[in-house]
């Protein structure tokens, strides 16, 4: 087998507050386990019975991760263990030391390769939704609790999205549109929603660009098809 030992500087990630630690590890797991088929054990990603003696999937994972500026900034441990049949033991390579020679100095803010992937670049679609809650309260026509309960039932319970703050997230969508578009259309047909919506943006993951295509759903759907009085 070959093994990749990988650890992020978690304290630095949390202290900086720029990235979500769980999402960073989630992206690493997606690349290493879901995409490349490695087996995870603690801080190790293991390739059982590698196809070739030299690199296999370990090197592929390492190269993909090193293209990300956040990874190069926060990686703490990156050791490659290559199985040597002649010595019946592992040859250990310090992946950080090797990468510095190829990618430039780490933690400096400047790197020798384009970044490519953003901090939240786990394949997903996202819906950013903000209502004018103060206006809802002031008008007194509907209860804010009823609104929040309805949104939870429609978006989370019925369509299975995960909520994080003002975002509803659909991880690993099955198609280009996913549940995000269905939800936005359902909401846009309702008078109370069109009256009180403040922000409604769809972030669709683009596998070709490894980034999000952003659509202002208020402009594209509400104003065009459902004029607000």
């Amino acid at each position: 087998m070959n093994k990749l030992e990988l650890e992020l500087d978690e304290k630095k990630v949390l202290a900086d507050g720029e990235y979500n630690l769980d999402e960073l590890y989630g992206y690493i797991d997606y690349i290493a386990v879901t995409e490349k088929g490695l087996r995870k054990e603690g801080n190790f990603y293991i390739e059982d019975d590698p196809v070739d003696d030299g690199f296999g999937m370990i090197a592929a994972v390492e190269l993909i991760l090193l293209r990300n500026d956040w990874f190069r900034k926060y990686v703490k441990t990156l050791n490659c263990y290559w199985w040597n049949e002649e010595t019946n033991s592992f040859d250990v390579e310090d992946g950080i030391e090797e990468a510095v020679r190829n990618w430039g100095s780490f933690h400096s803010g400047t790197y020798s390769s384009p970044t490519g992937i953003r901090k939240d670049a786990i394949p997903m679609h996202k819906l950013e939704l903000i209502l004018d809650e103060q206006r809802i309260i002031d008008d007194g026509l509907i209860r804010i609790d009823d609104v929040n309960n309805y949104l939870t039932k429609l978006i989370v319970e019925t369509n299975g999205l995960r909520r994080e703050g003002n975002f509803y997230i659909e991880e690993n969508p099955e198609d280009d549109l996913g549940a995000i578009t269905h939800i936005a259309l359902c909401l846009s047909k309702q008078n109370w929603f069109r009256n009180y919506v403040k922000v409604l943006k769809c972030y669709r993951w683009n596998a070709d660009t490894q980034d999000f295509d952003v659509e202002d759903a208020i402009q594209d759907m509400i104003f065009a098809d459902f004029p607000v009085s």
Side-chain angles (χ1 to χ4, degrees):
M1 66 174 70
N2 293 330
K3 299 191 297 183
L4 179 67
E5 183 183 11
L6 194 160
E7 185 181 5
L8 300 179
D9 190 336
E10 298 181 1
K11 289 184 179 180
K12 185 168 175 29
V13 173
L14 294 173
D16 288 353
E18 185 181 359
Y19 298 90
N20 182 302
L21 183 61
D22 290 338
E23 287 190 354
L24 296 187
Y25 275 124
Y27 174 72
I28 293 169
D29 287 347
Y30 178 81
I31 294 299
V33 179
T34 305
E35 287 287 317
K36 301 303 180 184
L38 304 184
R39 175 167 53 87
K40 185 176 182 180
E41 285 189 6
N43 293 329
F44 287 88
Y45 294 90
I46 299 169
E47 181 182 16
D48 297 303
D49 300 319
V51 175
D52 59 80
D53 296 333
F55 298 99
M57 289 300 172
I58 295 292
V61 170
E62 187 181 18
L63 287 171
I64 290 171
L65 293 175
L66 285 168
R67 293 189 183 118
N68 297 279
D69 59 347
W70 61 262
F71 183 79
R72 300 194 302 275
K73 181 177 182 181
Y74 292 114
V75 64
K76 183 177 177 183
T77 303
L78 188 67
N79 292 325
C80 302
Y81 296 77
W82 310 114
W83 182 251
N84 189 326
E85 291 186 353
E86 295 180 0
T87 62
N88 207 31
S89 62
F90 287 103
D91 296 329
V92 184
E93 174 189 290
D94 185 333
I96 293 179
E97 182 180 319
E98 178 67 22
V100 166
R101 287 197 290 269
N102 296 323
W103 294 74
S105 177
F106 276 22
H107 317 302
S108 66
T110 57
Y111 306 100
S112 58
S113 176
T115 59
I117 299 177
R118 296 166 33 156
K119 65 178 182 181
D120 47 5
I122 303 169
M124 62 173 69
H125 297 327
K126 301 193 296 184
L127 181 70
E128 184 181 10
L129 194 162
I130 302 175
L131 298 177
D132 191 338
E133 295 189 359
Q134 189 58 55
R135 190 162 160 246
I136 293 174
I137 294 170
D138 292 342
D139 288 354
L141 299 175
I142 53 177
R143 296 175 65 248
I144 192 68
D145 288 344
D146 291 341
V147 170
N148 289 330
N149 289 337
Y150 172 76
L151 292 176
T152 298
K153 184 172 182 59
L154 172 67
I155 302 175
V156 179
E157 296 177 11
T158 303
N159 286 282
L161 273 63
R162 172 169 57 85
R163 182 175 183 179
E164 286 191 4
N166 294 324
F167 287 89
Y168 294 90
I169 299 169
E170 180 184 16
E171 294 183 346
N172 300 314
E174 295 181 359
D175 55 64
D176 291 338
L177 299 178
I180 296 292
T181 297
H182 170 71
I183 292 166
L185 285 171
C186 285
L187 291 173
S188 297
K189 292 175 182 177
Q190 304 187 55
N191 289 329
W192 68 265
F193 182 80
R194 300 197 304 273
N195 232 6
Y196 295 116
V197 64
K198 203 163 155 184
V199 176
L200 185 67
K201 291 184 179 179
C202 300
Y203 297 75
R204 295 194 179 90
W205 178 251
N206 188 322
D208 293 331
T209 63
Q210 292 284 285
D211 206 342
F212 289 103
D213 296 330
V214 184
E215 173 189 298
D216 185 338
I218 291 180
Q219 180 177 339
D220 291 349
M221 290 187 284
I222 296 179
F223 291 161
D225 300 322
F226 308 104
V228 179
S229 57

